[in-house]
Amino acid sequence: MVDQNASGLKSSQQERFPNESAEYRRARNGLLEAEIALRRQIEAVAAQRRALPPGGEVREDYVFEEGEDARPIRMSQLFAGKPTLIAYSFMYGPKMDHACPACTSILDALDGETQHVTQRASLVVIAKSPIARIIGHAKQRGWRSLRLLSSAANSYNVDYHGENAQGEQTSALNVFTLKGDVVRHSFGAEMHNSRADPGQDPRHVDSIWPLWNLLDFTPEGRGDFHPKLRYADGPSA
């Protein structure tokens, strides 16, 4: 077991890469200190989130549409034996020409993670478009695992901030719990409408978005890049 000093850096061994300079190592060690502090802060925030008191009881057992046959399914049925339901609202309303590229980028990644997530919690993806349109988009993207729902016939999007007062679709991440027969809201990403620091967007769902987390490791960073539904140098991505 390697001892660690108070800073969290290894005291008996330092990482080294071929031909790195002393200047690089000093700067990298300083960055490592910041990374360790960030890791601690992330865990502290996660613990604070888990410690939230029970949220508001869901005021109705929303009825969604699911599958090729648009079968009705109630919110209370979505937990699939799990105590927790994670619900991502993506921007694809009936008046939109196409689904939001940014939301699609998130869901491209979450589709592959679904089998892992559902070992611990139920996961659903909700949009306002008719279910047939949502399924058509999913097939085009090659999604195989995401559980897709239409909220076209209920007020879920409005109630849980997947739609603004003007009827414009917004992305939203919400978590619900089921105890007995009572469904409660546990957490909702609220930074979407918060004041962002200069040069930043609200980043309310960054923590589930691999694209930005990967680009943050590069010297160029995020830049002014935005995901697209299709790229000239390859198939839809």
Side-chain angles (χ1 to χ4, degrees):
M1 182 175 179
V2 178
D3 293 332
Q4 293 188 339
N5 58 27
S7 70
L9 295 174
K10 295 178 181 178
S11 59
S12 61
Q13 180 181 359
Q14 290 288 338
E15 296 285 349
R16 291 290 187 273
F17 295 99
N19 298 321
E20 69 175 32
S21 65
E23 178 186 20
Y24 175 90
R25 179 46 45 192
R26 284 193 299 271
R28 183 64 187 90
N29 284 348
L31 174 60
L32 181 55
E33 293 271 12
E35 290 173 331
I36 291 168
L38 176 61
R39 183 176 63 193
R40 290 171 179 155
Q41 179 65 12
I42 289 172
E43 179 51 38
V45 170
Q48 187 175 358
R49 186 183 298 118
R50 293 191 296 269
L52 285 169
E57 184 175 343
V58 173
R59 63 186 184 186
E60 66 175 280
D61 199 1
Y62 298 99
V63 178
F64 299 91
E65 291 184 345
E66 181 179 27
E68 300 278 1
D69 57 353
R71 61 187 174 276
I73 185 165
R74 294 187 177 277
M75 188 176 200
S76 59
Q77 298 175 297
L78 298 175
F79 287 80
K82 304 294 193 301
T84 303
L85 170 67
I86 303 168
Y88 181 79
S89 296
F90 84 108
M91 299 166 61
Y92 195 21
K95 296 180 181 180
M96 296 173 63
D97 293 335
H98 52 73
C100 169
C103 290
T104 297
S105 167
I106 294 173
L107 297 176
D108 283 342
L110 286 185
D111 182 65
E113 291 295 329
T114 295
Q115 62 178 322
H116 307 294
V117 174
T118 52
Q119 302 306 304
R120 299 274 295 174
S122 185
L123 173 66
V124 298
V125 174
I126 301 168
K128 194 66 175 285
S129 275
I131 189 63
R133 195 170 187 233
I134 297 170
I135 291 173
H137 181 65
K139 288 180 177 179
Q140 186 180 54
R141 303 305 300 179
W143 298 342
R144 297 185 300 172
S145 301
L146 290 171
R147 188 172 187 181
L148 306 169
L149 305 172
S150 171
S151 58
N154 64 41
S155 63
Y156 174 84
N157 278 41
V158 174
D159 295 342
Y160 289 97
H161 306 284
E163 184 177 331
N164 65 23
Q166 291 72 46
E168 298 167 333
Q169 304 303 294
T170 59
S171 57
L173 178 68
N174 286 284
V175 179
F176 300 88
T177 60
L178 175 65
K179 292 185 178 180
D181 59 356
V182 177
V183 178
R184 288 186 178 275
H185 186 247
S186 174
F187 169 81
E190 296 185 14
M191 288 200 297
H192 186 77
N193 292 317
S194 67
R195 184 178 64 186
D197 293 334
Q200 297 182 357
D201 61 31
R203 302 189 180 191
H204 63 301
V205 290
D206 262 23
S207 57
I208 65 167
W209 200 344
L211 172 63
W212 299 134
N213 287 291
L214 281 171
L215 291 180
D216 279 345
F217 283 108
T218 68
E220 299 81 13
R222 304 182 184 203
D224 59 357
F225 171 77
H226 295 282
K228 300 178 180 179
L229 294 177
R230 291 178 174 80
Y231 297 97
D233 58 350
S236 60

